[in-house]
Amino acid sequence: MSINEMQNENTTSVTLRHPKRTFYACSFGFAAYVGSTVGLATLQSSINIKNDLGPKSLLICFLCGLAGIITAPYTLKRFGAKATLITGEIIASFLTIANFYPRWFTMYPTAALTGLMSSSLTWSASAVIVHKVATADLENKIGEQADIATQKYFGIYLGIVAFGQIFCNGVTVLILEFVNDDLLGLNHKTVETDFDSNLSTQAPQYKTSNSSVIDTSQCAAKDCPAEYAYSNSTKLDVFIPDDSSRYVLFGWYLLMQLGAVLLHSIAMDPIPVDTYRKNMIASQNEEESPNRKLLLNKLREENDCSNLFAPIKISVLHLTSLQGILSAPVYLLYGLTISFIWSEFSRAYASCVVGLSQVGLTSALVDFLSLIVSMIISRCASNFGMFYIFLFGMCYDIALYVVILFWVPTPSTSYFVYIFASLFGVTYAVRRNTQYLTTSTLCPDKDVGFTIQNVLGGIGLMMTYAWTTAFCVYVKIYIMIGSVVATTVLWIFADRIHQKERN
């Protein structure tokens, strides 16, 4: 038996035995993990806006996440997608624990660790698992048929993830609405989240309606965090809940994250590691020497080095290629979009206009519409094609951003916040689906492709949190409009290049 055959035999022995169970265990477990982490991130620009602690923590998280372009491909190829996913989820729980006592010395280090070893690992690993299950079902499908089948799996996967976010947001609403210090008998005052322990909060920490505290006309597009993030403005009172609701909420998020770890550990099959490069090296060694044992040892040593540097080389080659440069803005726009929804919309529109307790409800509306639209895209993508999906997304997003730019909130029109949240669900679904479809279509190496997707998406997230307090919301809306137009035009060129190469 040749070395090449031995490698193939080893690969066959670790193929998925229960692909469907693995797929749904991965999807539902990851949905619980994403629901808790996204819920936590969504609230950071509100509950930890004092001294910009929450946005800065997320900035550090996504800045360190840039290292994922090195760590994620190596970890995926060295340890496999299952171990990578579970490790990332465990590390993410550290940042949740830090929120029980939010100070710079608890938040910043855990945010850095989460970005370095969790953010890129979990998303890349889950995408790889879904792709492997999908390709295991594509033995008799080639070309466009394979792309359609892959789109189906990713559509179901993204739909389940959206359902998990809806569920977690619903629980968030209940906790923020009904859990308080009076309910649990904790009638002590809460110290503000700043670096001066002598400053204590005298005003009520939480309100379901802020119309009596601030002028709502200064919310929405006119919201400027720099005016109150570093001061003792009364506007902070509508963003910061009491201790009881914080502790119960963070305890719920932690429970969801650890539950995801347990489900993935028990229910998922081991995910086979790609052996394409190993087989190539094995074939070369087989021709050069008859000593099989020495060759296998040499193969292992060479693979340890190649697994580290090969993904970096492939990433650089792809990102510096014309197609990679033109498609990169797709991932950046996704990061900008979701961070705008999590940060600017949640704070300036939801918390500021209808109250902090409604952030979970507006987020649930975003996720519910994204679930429906994701299912529609997965069903109809083969009929319409990605070109028309991108074109629709551009026209739709421009119209939505123009409306929220000129809308001035009043007590009688505050219900528009819920309408806007639903409309943002469509934007969220389009941007999320198109980035996955772009990766599965344009990137030849999926491990590296999904890593690039998450790293560039993290840069988009990082950009938003870097200027959270620097600019007013209306400036950020102008940036979003320009980004949508530029991304669509560049992607059209990238798609045309891909079609020519395919033909």
Side-chain angles (χ1 to χ4, degrees):
M1 180 184 295
S2 67
I3 297 178
N4 196 16
E5 291 172 343
M6 293 173 61
Q7 293 288 342
N8 288 330
E9 184 179 51
N10 291 336
T11 302
T12 304
S13 66
V14 293
T15 54
L16 295 173
R17 292 177 298 174
H18 309 95
K20 295 292 185 181
R21 190 185 72 184
T22 298
F23 171 74
Y24 286 107
C26 172
S27 300
F28 282 104
F30 194 64
Y33 163 78
V34 171
S36 59
T37 53
V38 170
L40 183 67
T42 302
L43 291 170
Q44 289 302 307
S45 64
S46 295
I47 61 178
N48 287 326
I49 190 61
K50 182 65 177 175
N51 291 305
D52 205 23
L53 180 63
K56 279 183 179 177
S57 298
L58 293 178
L59 171 61
I60 293 172
C61 177
F62 295 117
L63 180 62
C64 293
L66 298 180
I69 200 169
I70 298 175
T71 59
Y74 174 76
T75 306
L76 284 168
K77 294 181 183 299
R78 181 67 176 83
F79 301 103
K82 179 178 178 179
T84 301
L85 177 60
I86 293 173
T87 301
E89 290 170 340
I90 293 174
I91 293 174
S93 66
F94 297 161
L95 181 58
T96 305
I97 295 173
N99 272 268
F100 283 94
Y101 190 75
R103 299 294 187 272
W104 69 267
F105 51 84
T106 59
M107 296 286 286
Y108 293 168
T110 52
L113 181 62
T114 299
L116 183 64
M117 296 299 296
S118 178
S119 298
S120 58
L121 295 186
T122 53
W123 283 96
S124 299
S126 64
V128 168
I129 293 171
V130 173
H131 184 264
K132 287 185 181 296
V133 174
T135 52
D137 193 37
L138 301 180
E139 295 179 356
N140 299 321
K141 300 182 178 68
I142 60 174
E144 190 171 332
Q145 285 184 322
D147 290 341
I148 294 172
T150 303
Q151 292 170 11
K152 177 183 176 181
Y153 272 96
F154 273 109
I156 297 172
Y157 159 74
L158 294 174
I160 294 174
V161 171
F163 174 79
Q165 292 179 259
I166 294 170
F167 177 73
C168 286
N169 285 324
V171 176
T172 299
V173 172
L174 295 177
I175 293 174
L176 291 176
E177 188 72 44
F178 298 108
V179 177
N180 50 62
D181 285 348
D182 293 334
L183 179 66
L184 299 183
L186 301 174
N187 294 315
H188 60 278
K189 292 182 179 180
T190 304
V191 177
E192 285 186 349
T193 306
D194 63 10
F195 309 135
D196 187 355
S197 60
N198 295 323
L199 294 176
S200 60
T201 300
Q202 301 298 327
Q205 288 284 322
Y206 172 77
K207 296 183 183 301
T208 57
S209 175
N210 54 26
S211 59
S212 61
V213 179
I214 61 173
D215 180 8
T216 55
S217 65
Q218 298 304 307
C219 297
K222 293 184 179 180
D223 179 68
C224 299
E227 297 176 356
Y228 55 84
Y230 296 98
S231 66
N232 292 322
S233 170
T234 57
K235 195 172 183 178
L236 290 172
D237 297 338
V238 301
F239 297 140
I240 305 175
D242 56 30
D243 280 349
S244 297
S245 56
R246 287 173 63 101
Y247 295 156
V248 173
L249 184 63
F250 297 148
W252 163 253
Y253 290 157
L254 184 61
L255 180 64
M256 294 293 288
Q257 291 170 339
L258 297 181
V261 172
L262 184 63
L263 178 61
H264 289 156
S265 301
I266 296 175
M268 286 201 315
D269 289 340
I271 308 301
V273 181
D274 291 334
T275 58
Y276 174 71
R277 293 189 188 87
K278 293 180 181 180
N279 290 339
M280 289 185 62
I281 298 174
S283 298
Q284 293 176 353
N285 290 341
E286 185 180 23
E287 296 175 358
E288 293 173 359
S289 173
N291 193 330
R292 187 172 300 166
K293 184 175 180 180
L294 292 177
L295 290 176
L296 288 173
N297 291 334
K298 181 180 179 182
L299 174 63
R300 294 190 187 97
E301 294 176 0
E302 290 181 354
N303 282 341
D304 287 339
C305 296
S306 64
N307 283 341
L308 177 60
F309 295 106
I312 302 175
K313 181 179 180 181
I314 296 173
S315 300
V316 172
L317 290 175
H318 179 71
L319 287 174
T320 55
S321 67
L322 179 59
Q323 196 174 78
I325 293 172
L326 294 175
S327 60
V330 174
Y331 310 130
L332 291 172
L333 179 59
Y334 173 72
L336 287 171
T337 300
I338 61 175
S339 56
F340 183 89
I341 298 172
W342 292 353
S343 180
E344 309 308 324
F345 180 78
S346 294
R347 184 194 67 254
Y349 289 82
S351 293
C352 197
V353 177
V354 295
L356 177 65
S357 65
Q358 301 303 299
V359 170
L361 178 57
T362 56
S363 298
L365 290 172
V366 172
D367 295 324
F368 178 71
L369 264 294
S370 71
L371 169 62
I372 295 176
V373 176
S374 292
M375 295 174 63
I376 294 174
I377 292 176
S378 65
R379 295 285 183 180
C380 302
S382 59
N383 297 327
F384 296 103
M386 289 181 63
F387 172 81
Y388 292 102
I389 294 175
F390 267 94
L391 193 62
F392 164 79
M394 181 184 71
C395 298
Y396 180 90
D397 286 355
I398 292 174
L400 178 56
Y401 285 125
V402 169
V403 171
I404 66 171
L405 176 64
F406 292 103
W407 178 66
V408 178
T410 63
S412 61
T413 61
S414 60
Y415 66 91
F416 274 93
V417 171
Y418 304 105
I419 298 176
F420 294 149
S422 301
L423 296 176
F424 266 116
V426 179
T427 295
Y428 187 11
V430 171
R431 297 305 162 197
R432 182 171 55 183
N433 281 65
T434 51
Q435 70 153 354
Y436 277 100
L437 296 178
T438 297
T439 301
S440 61
T441 303
L442 301 182
C443 295
D445 189 308
K446 304 309 175 186
D447 288 0
V448 174
F450 287 121
T451 300
I452 292 175
Q453 167 187 307
N454 292 307
V455 170
L456 292 180
I459 294 177
L461 289 160
M462 182 182 65
M463 292 167 64
T464 296
Y465 292 112
W467 61 49
T468 292
T469 56
F471 303 121
C472 295
V473 174
Y474 68 85
V475 176
K476 301 165 188 173
I477 294 176
Y478 287 128
I479 294 174
M480 294 304 301
I481 293 174
S483 301
V484 168
V485 175
T487 297
T488 305
V489 173
L490 293 175
W491 179 87
I492 290 174
F493 285 112
D495 183 61
R496 290 295 175 263
I497 294 173
H498 174 68
Q499 293 297 334
K500 289 181 179 180
E501 292 177 351
R502 190 180 214 175
N503 292 334

